[in-house]
Structure formats: structure tokens, C-alpha cells
Amino acid sequence: FFFLMIRRPPRSTQSRSSAASDVYKRQYQRRVHGDSFCISKFHKRKMPPKKKEFYQIVKDEEHFKTFYDDKNIKLTVVDVHPHWCGPCEIMFTVYSSFAASIDDFDKRIEFVTVDIEKVKELFPQIKLTCKPTFLFLQRGQIVDEVIGINIPLITEKVYKYLPYEY
């Protein structure tokens, strides 16, 4: 008899998730339709600073010769690619990981991407394929070469030729 007297409170017609979505809908409508509080909060944000790029794109042969110089003590890793293929975008994240892991990154190493057509006369031995060629330059000399995207091998070569004195 007592269990019939105890009544549960009535359930709301909406579930919790739809009630929460209504809150979000109202917040969105305030932003879109011009509630002054929401405009100042959401629409007047400053843009984040641009990310630093850890590679340079060679514009012409004279620009490339600044890296291919015997006075340059930095290790220069050159990504040589055909113009119809473009630089490998996978390597851009690898460059940023090198920047995070190498002390005094700017003083010791630089990454350069170049179209093969712009430096064809300097490197006649490079064949035109869809695989990029990575040249490792030090003091105006080619010290090593990697053909294709072999990230462990490229990492090994970078740490092998990285200058300790800078």
C-alpha cells in the first residue's frame, strides 16, 4: 500500500543532451544576432601569431648560392624536387621536430627546398624523378645524399653532420 503513495517527480519532456543543445543554440543565436556581451567576447579576439617556418624556398640560382658557399658553416639540407611535384609536405613536420630537438637550431642547420629547374646547372647528376633528393651540404661541399623520403636515414645523416662548433 505504501509503495503506491510514493510518487516519483515527473520527468521533463526533454533529455539532458537536448536541453544542453538548446543552451548552445541560444549562445550561437546571441553571437550571430549581435548580443553585445557575446560580440565583445567572441568576435574581438586577436589573431594568433604566425608559425615560424623552419625551411626556406629558393627563388633562383643566386639565392641558392648563398647556401652553397664554403664560408657557410651550417649544415644545409636541400630538398631538391621537380616543379611538377613540389616539395614534400611530410618533411615540414620533420623540420619543425628538428627545430624543437636541436639546441641553437638557427645557428647550426638550415633546411632549403628548391626546384630542380632552378639549380640544374649546379647539380647535373640529379635525375628528374618523383622522389625528392636530399642533399647535405657543408662548407660548400656535398657530403651526403638521400633519395626518397626515408625519415630515419635523414635523421641519422642530420645528426651525423651537425656541426658542434658554430
Side-chain angles (χ1 to χ4, degrees), residues 7-12:
R7 261 183 93 195
R8 279 182 164 175
R11 291 187 180 184
S12 67

Side-chain angles (χ1 to χ4, degrees), residues 108-166:
R108 298 173 74 188
I109 190 169
E110 51 195 354
F111 294 98
V112 178
T113 63
V114 63
D115 182 1
I116 187 68
E117 298 297 322
K118 294 179 182 171
V119 293
K120 200 175 216 178
E121 296 173 4
L122 292 173
F123 304 112
Q125 74 272 18
I126 295 178
K127 296 178 182 173
L128 190 65
T129 64
C130 63
K131 292 181 182 179
T133 302
F134 294 91
L135 301 175
F136 296 84
L137 306 176
Q138 222 170 16
R139 297 191 187 269
Q141 302 290 325
I142 298 175
V143 291
D144 216 334
E145 174 180 326
V146 174
I147 296 173
I149 303 287
N150 188 345
I151 294 174
L153 185 60
I154 292 170
T155 304
E156 177 188 326
K157 304 280 183 186
V158 163
Y159 285 110
K160 180 179 179 182
Y161 297 113
L162 194 65
Y164 293 106
E165 297 175 7
Y166 47 93

Side-chain angles (χ1 to χ4, degrees), residues 21-156:
S21 68
D22 284 345
V23 171
Y24 292 123
K25 285 178 189 175
R26 278 186 253 126
Q27 287 177 351
Y28 174 74
Q29 287 172 349
R30 282 190 212 141
R31 278 191 304 222
V32 170
H33 297 297
D35 184 14
S36 62
F37 172 74
C38 290
I39 286 178
S40 64
K41 185 176 179 183
F42 293 105
H43 292 287
K44 292 187 179 180
R45 290 184 181 169
K46 291 183 180 179
M47 293 298 291
K50 288 187 177 182
K51 291 183 179 178
K52 182 178 178 185
E53 301 209 357
F54 301 105
Y55 62 95
Q56 296 183 29
I57 299 173
V58 173
K59 299 170 187 141
D60 55 12
E61 190 173 338
E62 289 181 22
H63 183 221
F64 182 73
K65 285 182 181 178
T66 60
F67 304 106
Y68 195 58
D69 186 17
D70 59 349
K71 296 175 186 171
N72 187 5
I73 62 169
K74 294 181 184 181
L75 172 66
T76 305
V77 181
V78 183
D79 174 7
V80 183
H81 57 83
H83 71 280
W84 46 266
C85 189
C88 186
E89 293 181 10
I90 294 171
M91 292 305 295
F92 298 151
T93 57
V94 176
Y95 300 155
S96 62
S97 69
F98 278 129
S101 65
I102 296 175
D103 294 334
D104 295 328
F105 174 80
D106 294 336
K107 297 178 183 176
R108 298 173 74 188
I109 190 169
E110 51 195 354
F111 294 98
V112 178
T113 63
V114 63
D115 182 1
I116 187 68
E117 298 297 322
K118 294 179 182 171
V119 293
K120 200 175 216 178
E121 296 173 4
L122 292 173
F123 304 112
Q125 74 272 18
I126 295 178
K127 296 178 182 173
L128 190 65
T129 64
C130 63
K131 292 181 182 179
T133 302
F134 294 91
L135 301 175
F136 296 84
L137 306 176
Q138 222 170 16
R139 297 191 187 269
Q141 302 290 325
I142 298 175
V143 291
D144 216 334
E145 174 180 326
V146 174
I147 296 173
I149 303 287
N150 188 345
I151 294 174
L153 185 60
I154 292 170
T155 304
E156 177 188 326

